[in-house]
Amino acid sequence: MTADPVLTIQDLSVSYRIAGQRARAVDGLNLTLNAGERLGIVGESGSGKSTLALALMRLHKPPAIIDSGRIVLGGTDILKLDKSALRQFRWSEVSMIPQGAMNALNPVIRIRDQMADTIRAHRSDLSGKQIAARIDELLERVGLNRGVADLYPHELSGGMKQRVCIALAIVLEPKLIIADEPTSALDVVVQRVVIETLKEVQTQIGAAMIMIGHDMGLMAQSVDHLAVMYAGRLVDIAPIRDFFAQPLHPYSHLLISSLPSPDETRPLAGIPGMQPPLLDLPSGCAFNPRCPAVQPICKKVAPALLPSGLLRKTACHVVAEAHDVAA
Amino acid sequence: MSPPDLLNLSDVTVTFGGGIGKKPPFVALEGFDLAIPSDRAEIIAVAGESGSGKTTLGRVILGMTKPDSGSVTFAGDDIWKTRLVHSKGYLRNVQAVFQDPFSVFNPFYPVEHLLRMPLKMFRIARSRAEQDTRITEALRQVGLRPDQVIGRYPHQLSGGQRQRIVVARALMLRPKLIVADEPVSMIDASLRANVLENLKALRDQHGISILYITHDLATARQVSDRLYVLYRGRAVETGTAADVIGLPKHPYTQLLMSSIPRPDPNTPWPAEAMPKSEIGRGDRTACVFIDRCPSRMPQCALQPRAFALENGRSVACHLYAPAPSTAVA
């Protein structure tokens, strides 16, 4: 069996041009993703995770510009597509469940017509009957009653609307689904139903998935690999079990220990300091002013993302040194 | 006799809509009781899903929503009958911290203006020097450096900083009670701890009680003394936060606890505890949780009253009725 990755991102940089300056929101990012794989990306607001998601579909808008890099999905270099090819490519090859997606449904159009619209735009070969059958099938797949098709968005609960958005995302069976905080406005009970629905349909169609968020608990339950972004850079990536069993990057460590637990009472621990502004990054490692394990070298040289274990990579001088000694 | 409660809600019901020839009204809060004592400061968490009535409860306490029935008293005075709710004094004593720290600021004014205004309005500090002292003191207490934030505009601050400024603003007025509606849900996890620590400090150092409205049971456990779990407008379980979260009794509280994604890939979500479909709102003579309850029984066709258990705990569920004959309240 070939293990050709479905998605390859090479040295991707995206920046926002503001007042003659350049803020690197995504800086030299490399990633590969296999079919059926689920990758989580976590980071504080402003770490570049949503910019990355938009760039993957070339949905970023000025002042954001892709400075360099390659994004190859299923053999197609996305950055080389012309306008009309890009239109066909979006949604049929890669779809997105944006943040607050449920509020993106048109309030005055029935669910059926919104779904039919999406199918017709890409599949002019299907008859009305075939489209109707497909809509029924999709709704059932996400655990909704067929009758939902004839309702307006305001007649649905938040969780139901979010499941309609999942149905829309898989309408053309894309190779990649990007979910940007897919459950941020939902309570825990509905959140679980939505995430399980999403995992189920993603497995059925064999798509790869990128899930963006900041809820570490949700990531632990949802993804196979977890990547951490900080100030535009990928600083840590590992299989989910290894990540939680033994976090390597000091920032990952703090992300886990700052989680409030529902199962025991213990003092709350935040992460001291703030993420630096992108236009005024400290020299060396961007995390060095907040890092509990900071070394003199961290203030001078930015660490590269280096292998730190089986299927793991970490951008940290301290981790690299320990790994070298061990190796 | 002990002094009257700081705040007392008795049998409060709030409905929206309805009327002749229309759909039946939507019941946002039903038969709700809450007592916040005046002799000690407490953090009381109110948890529940969206639409459970938590925000309506906050609005009732702030005097922004008048209940259809039931009474709201502040230090023994009914706030609507005595028109206390329309006085500046009530506004000063009961302050609010809202969910979205991005929309509560007027973007045209620097932080200083926002903090100076209430001091002038409530005539707390007359001279400029006195106002300055109050402002710097309050900002320091929430862990902000006054010189770094005071001249800034809202867009130049992070969500965590803004929310702490809102807390500082509430603190300056020395209120008796703060209603904090999802104060940390829009803030990065790493900064949540700071804001929550600030709330605890208000209770411990300034004797201010806080109603902490949230859907996050993990933070509720860490900061609150008592917990109310709301479902479709009813308090289904109340007690100390440690008791209720540590050993949930109501099937809904149990469902909530088991749905929290644990940050451990080796502890997956337990087996499906609820049907996948979300059921519409039925009539209100039956238990509000009947549609989703795994332990449904015939007597659930009648709404259970809140049965008192040990340690000030109460559960509105027939499973906890003391004896079969008392099941129907």
Side-chain angles (χ1 to χ4, degrees):
Chain A
M1 211 186 101
T2 55
D4 267 354
V6 63
L7 174 73
T8 308
I9 303 172
Q10 276 172 5
D11 200 29
L12 180 70
S13 291
V14 186
S15 55
Y16 289 88
R17 301 201 178 190
I18 305 152
Q21 284 180 294
R22 240 191 222 192
R24 275 261 158 107
V26 177
D27 191 4
L29 189 130
N30 289 291
L31 261 184
T32 56
L33 201 57
N34 294 325
E37 216 169 46
R38 287 191 285 262
L39 171 75
I41 300 179
V42 292
E44 286 167 73
S45 18
S47 61
K49 51 197 198 307
S50 290
T51 303
L52 170 67
L54 290 173
L56 288 182
M57 287 186 83
R58 268 175 70 187
L59 280 171
H60 61 287
K61 290 197 186 109
I65 293 170
I66 295 182
D67 296 316
S68 62
R70 257 157 58 89
I71 305 171
V72 181
L73 178 69
T76 313
D77 188 339
I78 300 180
L79 300 184
K80 292 212 172 100
L81 293 175
D82 64 27
K83 243 184 172 173
S84 70
L86 186 63
R87 267 192 62 163
Q88 278 308 312
F89 183 83
R90 284 180 187 150
W91 225 257
S92 60
E93 299 293 310
V94 49
S95 69
M96 189 173 199
I97 304 167
Q99 203 169 355
M102 55 192 191
N103 302 323
L105 294 171
N106 190 329
V108 296
I109 299 178
R110 289 179 205 275
I111 300 298
R112 176 184 305 289
D113 298 324
Q114 305 200 33
M115 294 182 76
D117 213 28
T118 312
I119 302 174
R120 237 176 264 128
H122 290 268
R123 296 286 306 270
S124 47
D125 57 312
L126 293 181
S127 71
K129 245 188 189 165
Q130 283 170 310
I131 289 176
R134 181 97 179 101
I135 290 170
D136 284 347
E137 184 213 321
L138 283 165
L139 289 176
E140 264 167 30
R141 259 201 196 179
V142 296
L144 292 172
N145 196 307
R146 285 174 182 213
V148 166
D150 296 310
L151 299 178
Y152 289 97
H154 77 267
E155 296 176 277
L156 306 178
S157 71
M160 290 165 84
K161 276 190 272 189
Q162 200 64 319
R163 279 189 273 167
V164 168
C165 292
I166 294 174
L168 274 169
I170 57 163
V171 111
L172 303 165
E173 309 219 335
K175 294 193 181 76
L176 174 68
I177 302 171
I178 301 168
D180 189 356
E181 307 232 9
T183 59
S184 58
L186 305 173
D187 60 85
V188 287
V189 180
V190 181
Q191 166 175 280
R192 176 179 169 185
V193 177
V194 169
I195 289 295
E196 287 183 342
T197 308
L198 185 58
K199 280 163 71 175
E200 219 174 272
V201 297
Q202 173 256 345
T203 312
Q204 277 170 14
I205 66 172
M209 181 161 86
I210 293 180
M211 198 167 124
I212 290 167
H214 61 245
D215 183 339
M216 299 290 281
L218 196 59
M219 289 296 173
Q221 300 299 334
S222 317
V223 300
D224 312 314
H225 294 264
L226 190 59
V228 179
M229 282 185 80
Y230 190 80
R233 284 178 165 244
L234 200 62
V235 297
D236 207 2
I237 181 163
I240 192 76
R241 278 167 203 273
D242 300 343
F243 188 95
F244 278 92
Q246 200 198 0
L248 288 181
H249 198 285
Y251 181 58
S252 308
H253 205 90
L254 285 169
L255 280 178
I256 293 174
S257 62
S258 70
L259 277 171
S261 162
D263 303 310
E264 54 177 333
T265 311
R266 60 165 188 236
L268 292 161
I271 301 177
M274 274 175 68
Q275 187 167 245
L278 290 173
L279 285 173
D280 188 19
L281 291 178
S283 60
C285 171
F287 187 60
N288 85 63
R290 301 169 77 181
C291 184
V294 63
Q295 299 296 315
I297 187 175
C298 307
K299 297 191 174 163
K300 293 180 200 128
V301 185
L305 187 69
L306 298 171
S308 54
L310 192 62
L311 303 171
R312 300 185 80 162
K313 281 181 185 170
T314 307
C316 174
H317 292 301
V318 180
V319 174
E321 199 178 307
H323 192 71
D324 271 355
V325 172
Chain B
M1 215 187 100
S2 57
D5 288 330
L6 175 66
L7 185 90
N8 187 296
L9 267 62
S10 172
D11 201 21
V12 167
T13 295
V14 179
T15 62
F16 296 113
I20 298 165
K22 294 190 181 153
K23 281 186 194 170
F26 176 81
V27 180
L29 205 57
E30 189 177 46
F32 192 84
D33 297 316
L34 170 73
I36 300 176
S38 52
D39 53 358
R40 64 174 187 278
E42 279 188 328
I43 297 181
I44 297 153
V46 177
E49 59 183 22
S50 32
S52 62
K54 354 186 249 302
T55 295
T56 302
L57 172 65
R59 291 180 58 93
V60 165
I61 292 172
L62 288 167
M64 297 159 94
T65 297
K66 189 177 179 181
D68 295 23
S69 63
S71 69
V72 183
T73 62
F74 186 79
D77 296 323
D78 186 308
I79 65 166
W80 291 98
K81 283 192 186 131
T82 62
R83 302 178 60 78
L84 181 65
V85 67
H86 301 297
S87 72
K88 267 191 194 172
Y90 189 71
L91 287 179
R92 182 183 164 181
N93 278 320
V94 184
Q95 280 285 311
V97 174
F98 290 113
Q99 178 171 14
D100 183 358
F102 296 89
S103 65
V104 294
F105 289 96
N106 184 331
F108 293 108
Y109 291 117
V111 167
E112 182 184 356
H113 176 87
L114 177 102
L115 295 174
R116 204 178 290 278
M117 273 273 285
L119 290 179
K120 282 187 190 161
M121 180 171 158
F122 291 110
R123 303 195 183 161
I124 289 165
R126 303 223 174 195
S127 76
R128 225 179 143 79
E130 215 180 313
Q131 290 170 2
D132 288 345
T133 321
R134 282 265 191 164
I135 292 172
T136 34
E137 216 173 71
L139 287 174
R140 285 220 182 88
Q141 263 156 8
V142 296
L144 291 171
R145 284 182 50 190
D147 54 312
Q148 286 189 346
V149 295
I150 209 144
R152 296 220 183 178
Y153 286 86
H155 72 267
Q156 297 171 308
L157 302 168
S158 74
Q161 284 177 316
R162 290 185 209 201
Q163 200 62 304
R164 280 190 275 169
I165 288 166
V166 179
V167 173
R169 183 183 157 284
L171 172 65
M172 275 190 327
L173 304 180
R174 298 272 184 274
K176 300 260 173 30
L177 175 67
I178 292 177
V179 175
D181 190 352
E182 301 267 17
V184 294
S185 69
M186 296 187 70
I187 302 177
D188 271 323
S190 54
L191 297 169
R192 277 180 197 174
N194 300 337
V195 175
L196 292 171
E197 282 302 331
N198 288 157
L199 293 181
K200 274 167 90 170
L202 293 184
R203 174 193 64 188
D204 300 337
Q205 289 161 23
H206 301 280
I208 299 170
S209 283
I210 295 162
L211 188 85
Y212 174 51
I213 299 174
T214 184
H215 65 259
D216 179 6
L217 289 173
T219 57
R221 168 152 204 170
Q222 305 308 321
V223 304
S224 61
D225 304 299
R226 277 194 290 153
L227 172 68
Y228 282 69
V229 180
L230 288 188
Y231 186 75
R232 285 182 58 200
R234 280 199 161 254
V236 293
E237 183 162 2
T238 68
T240 69
D243 280 354
V244 175
I245 296 175
L247 192 66
K249 298 219 161 171
H250 195 284
Y252 176 60
T253 321
Q254 290 169 352
L255 174 65
L256 271 182
M257 281 305 291
S258 69
S259 302
I260 298 176
R262 299 300 196 277
D264 176 5
N266 298 313
T267 312
W269 271 310
E272 192 82 33
M274 66 171 279
K276 263 201 170 175
S277 62
E278 287 155 62
I279 288 114
R281 321 215 141 200
D283 71 294
R284 297 193 68 92
T285 51
C287 171
V288 284
F289 193 57
I290 189 167
D291 292 332
R292 289 162 78 179
C293 188
S295 349
R296 200 173 334 170
M297 307 179 288
Q299 54 268 51
C300 301
L302 276 179
Q303 184 69 253
R305 66 181 170 86
F307 299 109
L309 303 177
E310 74 299 332
N311 204 11
R313 189 166 188 180
S314 80
V315 184
C317 174
H318 290 298
L319 288 174
Y320 302 94
S325 59
T326 59
V328 179

